[in-house]
Amino acid sequence: MSLPRLLIEPIIRNALTEDLGLAGDITSQAVIPVEHQSTVAMISRESGVLAGIDVAALSFELVDNSIIFEKHKQDGDILFPGTVIATVKGPSRSLLTGERTALNFISHLSGIASVTHQIVTSIKETKAQVVCTRKTTPGLRVMEKYAVKCGGGRNHRFALYDGILIKDNHIAIAGSVSKALMDAKSYAGHMVKIEIEVDTLEQLQEALSVGVDVVLLDNMSPDTLRKAVSMVNGQAITEASGRITPQTAPAIAASGVDMISVGWITHSASILDIGLDFI
């Protein structure tokens, strides 16, 4: 599992451009002799799951392609305090110039992978799977959704173009659950899945009477979710959502739902503390 360079290089270039501007790293230029060489170790300072190793490597390469980036761990690997993730060798100025961009990416993505892994682990005795949403950092969606997969989760629809998800505002404008679903069915091609968000069992029954591929059961208690799963009875994929944490996930998963969607794992996950130590 890896990220295509074609997708991630423009994102990394933008980050480096933002950091370097026109003048470049004036601190390193002022303090570090141009001929000085160094070796550094990228080290995890806490436990978690690695994501973004190739992003970090490319961050250094785009600064200076003479830098040698040696991986010791792969995305998806479990990390502990003191785990050496990679060894990086090259001109000291270049290493310091690329350091922050590389660490920003790998720490952020590993944080996402780590919290995803926590939720996945908390529901491992059930059939439910953890999926992310479109609540991503603008411009970083491809990386953040990849990090979810590194943590053992799965991706929901990637964007507005690859699946129909009818939410409460769509229903309000359309006039009813039935009307929204019938309009969607007449619009969509045979390859496009249709999902609808329901807040009550009454709305769920209305959706099932029309027919739908996936039902999003929003902010329902575990007891209500169990009733909803029983009503669906295999007619559609069931997905639960609404402020789900590693602590609340087990009870929600035990209701029998197929999917648990969690928005905060991409937009609010804490970083995993990863540092760069000069050897």
Side-chain angles (χ1 to χ4, degrees), residues 20-237:
L20 295 175
L22 295 175
D25 180 3
I26 60 175
T27 307
S28 294
Q29 291 169 24
V31 175
I32 308 298
V34 67
E35 71 279 2
H36 195 276
Q37 300 278 319
S38 293
T39 299
V40 297
M42 184 173 284
I43 298 175
S44 176
R45 293 175 177 156
E46 58 183 326
S47 297
V49 176
L50 180 62
I53 187 73
D54 290 335
V55 178
L58 186 53
S59 298
F60 284 112
E61 179 187 329
L62 292 174
V63 169
D64 186 337
N65 62 14
S66 73
I67 291 174
I68 298 171
F69 190 98
E70 183 181 358
K71 302 176 192 176
H72 303 302
K73 295 293 178 182
Q74 299 293 331
D75 286 346
D77 285 352
I78 301 296
L79 304 176
F80 302 96
T83 298
V84 177
I85 298 167
T87 304
V88 195
K89 305 175 183 179
S92 301
R93 282 189 180 184
S94 299
L95 294 177
L96 289 166
T97 297
E99 173 186 12
R100 179 44 48 200
T101 297
L103 290 178
N104 281 348
F105 278 125
I106 199 168
S107 297
H108 175 55
L109 299 178
S110 296
I112 292 171
S114 298
V115 296
T116 302
H117 179 71
Q118 289 176 23
I119 300 176
V120 169
T121 301
S122 76
I123 63 171
K124 64 181 180 180
E125 302 302 326
T126 73
K127 69 172 184 177
Q129 299 183 356
V130 175
V131 297
C132 55
T133 71
R134 284 172 46 245
K135 294 178 181 178
T136 54
T137 307
L140 298 185
R141 182 171 295 171
V142 64
M143 291 185 178
E144 292 177 344
K145 282 185 170 283
Y146 167 79
V148 168
K149 296 180 76 172
C150 290
R154 298 183 65 182
N155 295 160
H156 203 279
R157 62 174 179 165
F158 199 87
L160 291 171
Y161 54 73
D162 62 343
I164 292 178
L165 174 50
I166 303 167
K167 304 198 75 175
D168 52 357
N169 286 335
H170 298 105
I171 295 169
I173 294 170
S176 70
V177 167
S178 299
K179 178 66 163 57
L181 276 175
M182 288 187 289
D183 287 346
K185 284 173 174 284
S186 65
Y187 176 86
H190 70 286
M191 296 292 287
V192 179
K193 295 284 188 180
I194 299 174
E195 179 174 11
I196 193 163
E197 175 185 278
V198 296
D199 301 320
T200 66
L201 296 180
E202 290 73 24
Q203 284 187 319
L204 174 60
Q205 185 57 58
E206 185 178 355
L208 292 174
S209 68
V210 177
V212 67
D213 298 303
V214 189
V215 287
L216 176 57
L217 309 168
D218 191 44
N219 282 300
M220 292 184 180
S221 69
D223 285 342
T224 304
L225 286 171
R226 275 190 286 273
K227 294 175 184 176
V229 170
S230 179
M231 287 174 60
V232 173
N233 193 29
Q235 298 175 70
I237 295 170

Side-chain angles (χ1 to χ4, degrees), residues 245-260:
T245 68
Q247 292 72 41
T248 63
I252 291 169
S255 69
V257 294
D258 299 301
M259 305 286 179
I260 294 177

